[in-house]
Structure formats: C-alpha cells, structure tokens
Amino acid sequence: MAAPQQAADCGALDTCGLERILEALKLLLSPGGSGSSSLQITKHDVLLATLKSNLSVVEDKFLKDPYWKKLKLLRDEIANKAEWPQNSVDVTWSFTSQTLLLLLCLKETMMQLAADFNPGQPNPRTPEAAPALSPDTLSISQQKTVQSVLQFVVTLGVCPYLRPGVGVPLRYRTEFGAVVQDLVCLNAAPDATQRLYTSCRVLLTVAQHASLGSLIFSRHFGDIAAGLCQLGFCPTKTKPLKPEEEVLTEKERALSREALRDILDQVYQPLAVRELLILQGGPPQSCSDVKREARCRAPAWLRSLCGQLLSERLMRPSGVQAVVRGILEGAGARAAGGSDAEATATDWRKCDLIAKILASCPQQSLSPEDYYRDICPQILDLFHFQDKLTVRQFQRVATTTFITMAGERPQLAAKYLLQPMLAPLYRCLNTAEIPESHMVPGTILVTEEELSRCIEDVFKVYVVGNEPLTVLMDSLLPVLGALFSLYCFTKQSVSHIRSLCQEILLWILGKLERKKAIASLKGFAGLDKSVPSFHSLCQFRAATQGGIMITIKEAICDGDEEEALYQKVSSEQCQVEHLGDLLSHCQECGLAGDFFIFCLKELTHVAMENEAELKTKPYSSKSLLELEQHQTLLVENQEQKLLVLQLMAVLCERMSEQIFTNITQVVDFVAATLQRACASLAHQAESTVESQTLSMSMGLVAVMLGGAVQLKSSDFAILKQLLPLLEKVSSTHPDPVIQELAVDLRITISTHGAFSTEAVSMAAQSTLNKKDPEGKREEQQQTSHERDTDDSHSLLKQQQSHEKVNQTGLKSDAPFIPPDVSEPGAITNWKPGSITTEQLQEVLLSAYDPEIPTRAAALRTLSCWIEQREAGVLEVQEKLLKVFLENLEHEDTFVYLSAIQGVALLSDVYPEKILLSLLAQYDHGRDKHTPETRMKVGEVLMRIVRALGEFSWLTPVLEIGIQYSLKKPVTQHGRS
C-alpha cells in the first residue's frame, strides 16, 4: 500500500502543486492592518506588522492545514539544501528568505510538470484544434502574482544592499521604496553582502525556467546586474585577517562574475546595453541636503566595468544594432508631453552620442583597423532597416557615425566604409578591370538592389549629412561620370532614383573647389577624356522591380554600325541637354556662369586653332600610319569643336539672364569676348554675330562704369584685367566707333571712374535700353514695317540712345549726323549747307508719316539741321515750329520726345519768337489741348530755360512771363 499511496501523493503534487504554491505566495503578499486607529502609527510600523503577520499566517497553514503538507515537505527539502541563513532578527530578511524558498518550489514544480508532460498525437480530423497546453504554463493572473512576488524580493533582498552609486537608489524610485529603505536593518545578521549574494543567486536559479526567467529579466535585469557587478567586481578596502572573516569567498566572487556574463549573453541585447548605460552614467552627486542620502555618481570601477561590458556587446555579431536600439529605446526615450522641437533635439543628441560611442575604438580591440573591419559593415547595414518606426533614427545614427568616423580616421573610413558603399559605381568605370568571366554580353554587372542601395546610401551620407570632408569628396569624385550617366538614363523614363542622383550631383558640384567642379563638368560633357567615366562596354537597363541594373552590352554586328553611330550621337546630344538642365540649378552659386565662361574661352581657342589645323604637311612626306593618325586627330578635333558649339547653344537656351552672380564673372565674360574678337580680327574672319557680341560686352562694361553697379576699389582691380585687351581692340578693330569706345573704357577704368567720356555714357544707356519694354516695343515696330529705309533704322537707334542719355541728366554736346534723305545709307557723306528744298520738303512730309519710325527719323533729322544752323531750314522756322508742336500731341514716346528736342533746339536760335508762341499755347491752350500736351509744352519751356545759360538771355523770358502774368489772375497761373 505504501507504493500506491506514494504514487498518489506524486499525482496530487502534479495536479495541485502550482495552485498551492501560488496561494502561499498570495498569503505572503496579503495587505494587513494595524488593528488600531491611532494616528501615531507610521507607514514603517504598518509594513513591519504586515510582514510579521503574513509570515505567521503562512507558517500556521504549513503546520495545521493537511492540504499544505506536500508543499511543506518540498519547502523543507529545499530549505535543508540551502546554504544561506533563513532566519534573522530583521523581519525583512526573514520575509525575503521564505519568499525565495517558495519561488524555488515553484520553479522545481514547473520543471517537473514540463518534464512529465507528454502531449498526444494531434487528431487529423481536427487539424484546426489548438495543441495541448503545457501544464507549467502560468495564467495571466498567476503571472501577475509572480511579478508582485519578484518585486518584493528585489525591493527587500537586492536594492537595499547596493552601495551608493551602484544602480538607482531605492528611495528615489517610489514612496514604498523609501519606506523599505528605512525598514531594513543592515546591522543584523546575516551580513548585507551575504544577503545580496543569496538573493541574486536564487533569482538566477529560478530564472532557469524559461517562463520565470522572462518575468525576472524583463523587469529586474538592471537590479540583478547591478548586484552581480558589486559582488564580483567591487574592490575591497581592507583584506580580512582570517578566511572565516571573509563575507564572500573568491569562489563566490568568481561565480558572480561568471553569472553576470551569462545573463548578459542570455537577455535581449538592447536591454543589456540600456541597463549597462544606466549603471555607467549615474547622476552627479548632490550634497545640498545632508539629511537625505546623496545620489552619488557611479564609482570609477563600475564605470570602467560597464564600458568594458558595453564594448563586448558592441563587438558581438549585430552589436551595433543592439547598441543603437538600446540607446534609442531606453534611457533617451522622449518624455511624454514634450514638444516636437524638444523631441527632435533630443533625438539629435542621442544620435551624436551613439556616433561618438561607435567611432571610439575600445581597448579590447587589437587595433583601430581591426575594429573598423568588424564594425563598418554593421554601420552600413543601419541604412537598410525597413522598420517605419525606427528607420529615420537608424539612418540618422548611421549618417552621423559615418561622418564622425570619416573625420577621425579618414584612411580607415575610406577603406572600410566608402569603398564598399561606392563599389557598384566603381565596378562600371572605364578605369576598372572587368573580369573575363563577366565580359559575356548580357551579364549583370550590378544588380538592381545593389545600385539602388548604393545611390540611396550616398544620398544619406553626402546630401543629408552635408559635411564636405576631404575624404568624402575625394572618394566620390572618380564616380561622378558614372553617376551623371545614370542621371541621364533616369531622365528617359520614370525612376525613383532620378531625384537622388540630381541632388547628389548638385551637392557635390556646389561643394567642390571651382576648378575641380569645372573639370567634372568637362568630363560630363565629353570635353575631357581623362576624367573617369562610364565604361563603354557597360549599359544601363530597366530592371524587373522598377529599378535600374548595369549589364554588359551586346556585340555590334557589321550591319548595325550605322545604328550604333546614331545611338552614340543621340546619346551625346542627350547628355549635353541633361547637363544644361543640371546647370540651370547651379546659377545662384555661380558655377553655371563659370562653366559658361569656360565654354566661351573654348570657342576662342577654336577660332584661333581652326586655321592652323587646316594647314598640314604634304602627304608625300608622311607614312600611311602618320596619315591615319593625323586624320584621326583632325576628326577628334572637329568632334570637340562641334561639341563645344552644341554645348554653348544649350547653355544659351537654358540659362537665364541671372547667370552671372558677381563682377568677376562679368569681367571674365567680357575678357573672353574681347579675346575672341581679337582672334577673329587676327584671322580676318569677323562676322556680324561676333561684332554684335563685342558691342554688347563693351556696353556691359560701360553699364558697370556708368553707375549701374556700386564699384569698389577691388572691383576696379579686377576690371584692369581688360586694359590690354581693350588696347588691342582699339588698335586693330576697323570700326572707329568701337575704337573710340575701347579707348574711353580704358581711360575710365584706369582713372577708377573719375573721368568718363560721353561715348561711355551713351554705350551704357544703349545697352540698358535693350531691356526696356518700351524700347523693345519700338524695335518691334521698326522691324514690322518694310517701308523703313536703312537710314531711318540706324538713325533711330542713334537718336534713341542720345535721348535716353539726355533723360538721365547727362549733358550731350555731340551733334547728331543726319543722313541724306534722297540717298539712304549716305550718313557719312552729308555736308553742311548741302540741303536742297526738295530734301527739306520730303523730310517735312515724312514728319506726318503714319509710320512711327519714319516720323521719328524725320523729326530727328530736322533737329539736326536746326542745330547745324542750316540757312534753308531756319527760313521756315514757323513751319518747323508748327510741325514740332503738332507732333507733341502724338501718343508715342519716341515721337513726342523727338518733337520736344526739336522745339528746344529751335528756341535756342530764336528764343524771343519761339518763347512767345510756347507761353501762349501753354497759357491759353487750357481748353484746346489735353493736360498731357500742356505738360509736354512745360517740358519744352524747362529745357529752354536750362539751355539759355547766362542771366542776360533770361531777361526776355522774364518780361514775357510778367506780361502774361498781368493779363491773368495769379490763382489761375497757380492752378496751371
């Protein structure tokens, strides 16, 4: 009977053991009362009484309740094997000891149940049925009970015995923790260190069961780790005299150290990193309140230990990810209710902290190179996380770490970070050696995923990081040609990496030195073959997932040579156009202007070398090989010239008028234009376009010298670069007007603007008029009428410039030279006194012509004749005055301004007669003429008054004015 009874007892233990143990644990945690309503009873006394009462209740259950007999036997068996003192004068330790025994009972029971569990075969008829649940599984309410018990054990058995600076002090956690801290009696046996060792060892034993271990380490890993650090690594001040006086033996300290490393390897690594960081970075000590225990900083031995343990976590596989997650998910989490700006700043501080940690080579590493070799691949992997919640933070950390490591150790960063990241682009350069095994047409040299990751990583490091370090720039510079080719390919269709390629190219071109940037653009355009570019055997192809891959080209057949040539030419044309699009975004930084000037200088070289290259030696003096090489060189030069012309055409089309951003660029542009003009003059090949370009550039200098730009002394130093070129133009150009302007510009630049001639002012105003909307409208009107003669066009432009100069207040004494009306184009052949009556009548009739250019030219011609005191013209002064006054009413600006000038010149010859008519028309024409016409008459009067000069000439005017003032009330004159 004994055996069956024993088997029955084991079965009862299996079926009801867990419930009985959990019931005992609940009794230990039952809240108690003081039994008195006295207000003098403190929380300290209530807690102490509750612990004593619960211990007594549980002990009575063990002694009197027969259902608890099996549990009592199991507890006594475990207690007898235990090697720690279980009873003490300190009630807190007695309570902790009994709780630890019950936890060991729970662990043993659960392991026995799991070992005896033998699930049956699943029923094939009901495959959707859930599998049988293991009997050692705890319900949710049971898990809450165990968690409460563990909290009491850690609070009473671990935290009170940690030294200052080790872990977070108990009194700063909760109000209950402060009560417990005062309740523990540290002087009673057993020793505090022995209590801490017992609690940690028992908790680790209980954690051997998977379910209980997850409950322990998820909530209390930091406190247990702090206890093990203190037990295994805390230095002792003095060595005991006898071995029996040692609180902990060396074996126990070694076991504590080993246990610490075991649990660090066992738990979730970000959790381990987070808790080690908390242990290492305790708050600074505060001694302002002596009544409170000061929150001490972590001791030096603990900081050093945590640093070593963190380095070990980092050097493990996926250690970088663990460190990043531990910091981002743990100690630096965003505070609830914080503003977005504060949260963002906190994130950046955390990222900087992680970058410094990752970039620092730990002492455990053999060398910095070994450390970079192990860590850099993990850092590159941080760019590729797809978790939407943490992807931005991981990318920030990766970018900041990348830049920090590149700044601290550039050579190692280039070898282990930049080269692996840029490897797909380096693989397809014309300088790379492609293995023979990959030369098969159609072979995929760079996969879609590799190329997409490469471009995305480069964007994150360079554009997002925005740190133009030398090592970063030098590493990316060789692959810019391949990157530009990829950008051109993405422009042909929709691609998600097009914007990334464009942003990378714009960033690098803006950060490079200007010479290197221009050299890169030359490589993009095909003007510099020495710049690394995309391999001729490689090609971009659309991939299956919407990306791009790089493959080996198919071999060209004999019949496809024309098609290959067409593709080559069209590809080069597309590249030039895409380069123009790219440069349209580089105008503000000045790069587009500098490259435009470079292309203009290349045009000058083309003009200078064109004739020399055509002169070759006789064919008889050359071998066939030399002839072939010479012809190849000529073809390449012609291709270069055509490419420069095409590039200039694209730039002129795509760039805006704000392409030049500083005076240096303007001077370089003018210098390039002057050099080109000198080269054309030397070869006697000047064209109309080059002549107009020369006039425009010289007018641009005149505009700057005329006050449109506030020039400084340093600006004049830059302008002095033009002096030799202007001197050469003044001595070689056939046009005397250009020669005179070049001389005047040299004088103005040399004197820093102190002396400026009339020609400079007129050239400046003529250049500005080209941007005037009214001027543009007048020029359009001129070109829209086929009846206009060449003299009218030329005189119109000359007179318009002169009139604009007068409006700006510049005094003009140079007379206009009118053409011979009967002989168009004979402007320079006109002589004073040669005007016939027929010519005069024809000009007078032209003054009423409906065509605006013809009418304006006629008015200007009459003005010139009056200024030259032509006798035949002055005889009909009344008719001339009538013509001018009638044209004052014309709505066109150019016409009535010409009429105003004519009346002013006529009054200069006959002031007494003309002024009387003008004043009469101004005073009596209030009802006959519009206010605009009277304002024009007033403008004429003002010009006459300014032109009369000496006071003696003003006497007749004053007399006439007084005479008309007496005829009309003053108020009327005041209103007029």
Side-chain angles (χ1 to χ4, degrees):
M1 297 294 295
Q5 182 65 36
Q6 185 177 1
D9 293 343
C10 293
L13 178 62
D14 293 342
T15 56
C16 65
L18 284 181
E19 289 78 3
R20 198 68 61 202
I21 297 172
L22 291 171
E23 183 182 354
L25 291 174
K26 285 184 178 180
L27 287 177
L28 285 177
L29 301 183
S30 299
S34 63
S36 175
S37 59
S38 175
L39 297 178
Q40 300 299 325
I41 298 178
T42 62
K43 295 179 181 180
H44 178 281
D45 298 332
V46 171
L47 178 59
L48 191 61
T50 301
L51 295 179
K52 290 180 181 180
S53 174
N54 292 347
L55 283 174
S56 299
V57 171
V58 172
E59 194 63 33
D60 289 343
K61 283 282 187 179
F62 280 131
L63 295 175
K64 300 178 181 179
D65 195 335
Y67 294 102
W68 286 53
K69 181 179 179 180
K70 298 174 184 178
L71 179 56
K72 181 178 184 300
L73 292 176
L74 181 60
R75 187 198 69 165
D76 293 342
E77 181 181 356
I78 294 176
N80 292 333
K81 295 179 180 180
E83 298 179 355
W84 75 84
Q86 302 166 16
N87 298 319
S88 173
V89 178
D90 187 0
V91 178
T92 59
W93 177 247
S94 298
F95 181 86
T96 302
S97 178
Q98 293 301 317
T99 307
L100 291 174
L101 290 175
L102 290 176
L103 286 175
L104 289 174
C105 293
L106 179 64
K107 176 251 182 183
E108 292 294 334
T109 303
M110 294 177 67
M111 295 188 69
Q112 184 65 36
L113 292 173
D116 297 340
F117 177 61
N118 186 14
Q121 295 296 329
N123 189 354
R125 296 181 180 180
T126 58
E128 70 279 0
L133 194 63
S134 177
D136 65 335
T137 304
L138 298 176
S139 65
I140 296 178
S141 61
Q142 290 172 342
Q143 290 181 13
K144 291 182 179 179
T145 301
V146 175
Q147 288 176 350
S148 300
V149 172
L150 292 174
Q151 184 175 0
F152 264 90
V153 171
V154 172
T155 304
L156 297 175
V158 176
C159 296
Y161 311 117
L162 295 177
R163 295 191 176 186
V166 180
V168 181
L170 192 59
R171 65 171 63 251
Y172 296 110
R173 301 188 186 187
T174 60
E175 185 178 357
F176 176 75
V179 176
V180 172
Q181 188 72 41
D182 297 333
L183 188 64
V184 175
C185 182
L186 299 177
N187 297 326
D191 187 80
T193 303
Q194 189 63 44
R195 297 184 186 183
L196 177 62
Y197 178 79
T198 299
S199 300
C200 291
R201 293 298 299 175
V202 172
L203 287 174
L204 292 179
T205 303
V206 174
Q208 292 176 359
H209 190 277
S211 298
L212 296 176
S214 63
L215 294 177
I216 292 174
F217 292 137
S218 62
R219 296 287 186 89
H220 310 289
F221 173 79
D223 292 326
I224 296 175
L228 293 176
C229 289
Q230 179 175 316
L231 294 170
F233 297 93
C234 180
T236 56
K237 296 182 179 179
T238 58
K239 186 176 181 179
L241 298 177
K242 300 179 181 180
E244 57 270 15
E245 295 180 2
E246 292 182 353
V247 178
L248 286 182
T249 63
E250 186 60 32
K251 181 180 179 180
E252 292 174 336
R253 292 174 61 88
L255 289 175
S256 299
R257 291 192 289 268
E258 184 180 356
L260 176 62
R261 298 188 183 278
D262 289 342
I263 65 172
L264 287 175
D265 294 339
Q266 178 183 351
V267 300
Y268 177 58
Q269 289 303 296
L271 174 63
V273 171
R274 181 184 65 189
E275 296 299 336
L276 287 175
L277 286 173
I278 294 176
L279 287 177
Q280 185 184 36
Q285 185 173 358
S286 175
C287 301
S288 58
D289 189 359
V290 295
K291 295 183 180 180
R292 297 175 56 191
E293 182 180 353
R295 296 182 62 183
C296 300
R297 184 185 180 188
W301 65 267
L302 182 58
R303 296 197 302 271
S304 176
L305 173 63
C306 292
Q308 180 181 354
L309 295 175
L310 284 171
S311 299
E312 294 177 359
R313 301 302 100 196
L314 180 62
M315 300 298 293
R316 289 167 57 90
S318 302
V320 172
Q321 179 183 352
V323 171
V324 175
R325 288 188 180 275
I327 297 177
L328 294 180
E329 298 174 2
R334 296 182 180 180
S339 63
D340 293 339
E342 294 174 351
T344 303
T346 302
D347 288 343
W348 277 111
R349 286 195 294 268
K350 287 189 293 183
C351 294
D352 293 340
L353 172 64
I354 298 173
K356 292 178 181 179
I357 293 174
L358 297 179
S360 301
C361 179
Q363 298 178 355
Q364 289 78 10
S365 182
L366 297 178
S367 65
E369 186 168 3
D370 294 334
Y371 174 71
Y372 272 61
R373 186 187 302 111
D374 297 336
I375 295 300
C376 290
Q378 298 187 46
I379 294 175
L380 292 175
D381 289 338
L382 294 178
F383 287 116
H384 309 141
F385 279 92
Q386 302 300 325
D387 186 3
K388 295 182 179 180
L389 297 178
T390 60
V391 61
R392 293 186 62 186
Q393 290 181 326
F394 271 75
Q395 291 178 4
R396 286 180 184 176
V397 171
T399 301
T400 308
T401 306
F402 202 113
I403 295 174
T404 303
M405 298 179 77
E408 293 183 357
R409 298 185 184 272
Q411 296 180 351
L412 295 179
K415 183 177 181 180
Y416 296 107
L417 283 176
L418 289 166
Q419 289 183 7
M421 182 180 68
L422 298 173
L425 294 177
Y426 274 102
R427 208 178 303 162
C428 59
L429 291 179
N430 58 353
T431 56
E433 295 182 2
I434 302 178
E436 294 183 1
S437 59
H438 294 167
M439 295 299 293
V440 180
T443 302
I444 298 177
L445 197 61
V446 179
T447 63
E448 175 185 6
E449 183 180 5
E450 286 179 329
L451 188 58
S452 297
R453 280 192 171 187
C454 174
I455 299 302
E456 291 172 359
D457 293 350
V458 171
F459 176 81
K460 295 168 187 175
V461 171
Y462 285 84
V463 181
V464 177
N466 196 23
E467 287 290 340
L469 300 177
T470 303
V471 63
L472 298 181
M473 311 292 281
D474 294 343
S475 298
L476 188 61
L477 195 58
V479 300
L480 287 183
L483 190 61
F484 177 73
S485 299
L486 176 60
Y487 167 72
C488 295
F489 183 80
T490 59
K491 297 280 286 185
Q492 299 177 11
S493 61
V494 178
S495 176
H496 69 283
I497 63 175
R498 180 199 301 171
S499 60
L500 301 181
C501 294
Q502 178 175 319
E503 292 297 330
I504 294 170
L505 290 171
L506 292 177
W507 185 89
I508 188 69
L509 291 175
K511 299 296 182 181
L512 280 174
E513 296 179 3
R514 193 48 52 92
K515 291 183 179 180
K516 292 184 178 180
I518 295 295
S520 299
L521 292 175
K522 290 167 57 180
F524 296 168
L527 297 176
D528 189 355
K529 301 300 182 181
S530 63
V531 178
S533 59
F534 193 62
H535 204 290
S536 59
L537 297 179
C538 299
Q539 65 176 355
F540 295 105
R541 289 183 57 187
T544 56
Q545 301 298 326
I548 300 172
M549 59 183 178
I550 302 177
T551 62
I552 300 299
K553 285 184 178 180
E554 300 288 341
I556 301 176
C557 301
D558 295 338
D560 297 337
E561 292 182 357
E562 294 184 359
E563 179 67 21
L565 180 60
Y566 171 76
Q567 291 181 359
K568 179 178 180 297
V569 173
S570 61
S571 175
E572 292 178 352
Q573 182 178 0
C574 290
Q575 285 191 349
V576 171
E577 293 178 355
H578 297 328
L579 180 59
D581 294 336
L582 192 66
L583 285 174
S584 64
H585 301 282
C586 301
Q587 298 188 74
E588 294 184 1
C589 65
L591 178 60
D594 289 338
F595 188 67
F596 182 82
I597 294 171
F598 161 77
C599 295
L600 193 62
K601 293 179 180 179
E602 287 295 314
L603 279 180
T604 304
H605 297 328
V606 168
M608 296 175 64
E609 297 173 0
N610 189 26
E611 183 177 350
E613 290 179 354
L614 294 178
K615 297 179 181 180
T616 60
K617 297 180 181 180
Y619 293 128
S620 59
S621 63
K622 293 184 177 182
S623 63
L624 292 178
L625 179 61
E626 290 177 347
L627 285 175
E628 183 178 359
Q629 293 176 350
H630 181 71
Q631 291 297 328
T632 303
L633 182 60
L634 288 179
V635 171
E636 291 179 354
N637 290 339
Q638 291 299 324
E639 290 180 354
Q640 192 91 346
K641 295 173 184 177
L642 291 175
L643 188 58
V644 171
L645 291 174
Q646 183 183 8
L647 190 58
M648 281 296 299
V650 171
L651 291 178
C652 292
E653 180 183 356
R654 303 294 173 86
M655 299 298 109
S656 66
E657 56 186 13
Q658 284 83 22
I659 185 173
F660 297 139
T661 58
N662 52 64
I663 191 173
T664 303
Q665 290 184 336
V666 176
V667 172
D668 290 341
F669 167 74
V670 174
T673 306
L674 294 178
Q675 289 176 354
R676 184 183 174 195
C678 294
S680 300
L681 292 173
H683 294 84
Q684 297 180 354
E686 185 184 15
S687 63
T688 304
V689 176
E690 292 176 346
S691 178
Q692 293 178 354
T693 307
L694 177 62
S695 301
M696 179 193 66
S697 62
M698 296 179 68
L700 194 59
V701 179
V703 168
M704 291 191 297
L705 296 174
V709 180
Q710 189 70 25
L711 297 177
K712 304 177 183 178
S713 57
S714 58
D715 297 332
F716 281 102
I718 299 174
L719 285 169
K720 286 184 179 180
Q721 301 175 9
L722 303 177
L723 294 180
L725 296 172
L726 289 173
E727 183 178 5
K728 190 172 182 179
V729 171
S730 64
S731 60
T732 59
H733 202 280
D735 191 347
V737 177
I738 298 295
Q739 293 180 5
E740 181 182 0
L741 181 58
V743 173
D744 293 342
L745 289 176
R746 288 184 65 248
I747 297 173
T748 306
I749 294 174
S750 301
T751 59
H752 286 207
F755 177 80
S756 180
T757 63
E758 185 67 25
V760 174
S761 301
M762 292 179 63
Q765 196 61 41
S766 176
T767 303
L768 291 176
N769 288 343
K770 295 179 180 180
K771 295 183 179 182
D772 187 6
E774 294 182 359
K776 291 182 181 179
R777 178 173 57 83
E778 292 167 8
E779 290 178 5
Q780 293 173 359
Q781 292 174 351
Q782 294 175 32
T783 56
S784 64
H785 300 291
E786 297 180 355
R787 295 178 52 202
D788 300 342
T789 61
D790 293 338
D791 326 292
S792 301
H793 282 291
S794 123
L795 183 60
L796 175 61
K797 294 180 181 178
Q798 182 181 3
Q799 299 290 351
Q800 181 180 3
S801 301
H802 191 272
E803 180 59 35
K804 294 292 184 180
V805 172
N806 288 339
Q807 291 182 20
T808 58
L810 297 175
K811 184 177 180 181
S812 177
D813 297 329
F816 292 108
I817 302 176
D820 190 345
V821 179
S822 62
E823 297 180 3
I827 299 177
T828 56
N829 297 329
W830 174 81
K831 297 180 181 179
S834 61
I835 303 301
T836 62
T837 305
E838 292 77 11
Q839 292 175 347
L840 178 60
Q841 292 298 326
E842 184 175 355
V843 173
L844 290 174
L845 290 175
S846 298
Y848 292 94
D849 195 282
E851 302 295 336
I852 293 177
T854 304
R855 177 180 293 206
L859 294 175
R860 293 287 179 167
T861 302
L862 293 174
S863 299
C864 291
W865 288 342
I866 294 172
E867 191 173 15
Q868 295 298 326
R869 300 296 197 271
E870 286 294 331
V873 176
L874 297 179
E875 291 176 357
V876 292
Q877 55 176 314
E878 295 180 358
K879 185 179 295 186
L880 291 175
L881 180 60
K882 180 181 179 182
V883 171
F884 287 138
L885 292 179
E886 289 179 354
N887 278 281
L888 283 178
E889 299 180 2
H890 200 279
E891 62 180 0
D892 187 86
T893 306
F894 193 44
V895 173
Y896 73 72
L897 287 177
S898 301
I900 289 175
Q901 186 184 22
V903 176
L905 292 173
L906 190 61
S907 63
D908 185 54
V909 181
Y910 303 104
E912 296 85 358
K913 299 179 180 179
I914 303 301
L915 282 176
L916 184 62
S917 299
L918 290 176
L919 288 173
Q921 186 171 359
Y922 181 81
D923 192 66
H924 296 284
R926 184 177 297 105
D927 300 330
K928 299 179 181 180
H929 304 289
T930 62
E932 289 79 7
T933 303
R934 297 184 67 247
M935 291 177 62
K936 296 172 185 177
V937 175
E939 172 66 17
V940 175
L941 292 173
M942 293 300 298
R943 290 197 180 196
I944 295 173
V945 171
R946 286 198 300 265
L948 288 178
E950 298 295 334
F951 184 80
S952 59
W953 287 92
L954 295 176
T955 304
V957 179
L958 293 175
E959 293 176 353
I960 296 172
I962 293 172
Q963 177 182 357
Y964 278 91
S965 298
L966 294 175
K967 294 180 179 180
K968 298 291 181 181
V970 178
T971 55
Q972 295 182 6
H973 288 282
R975 287 193 302 268
S976 63

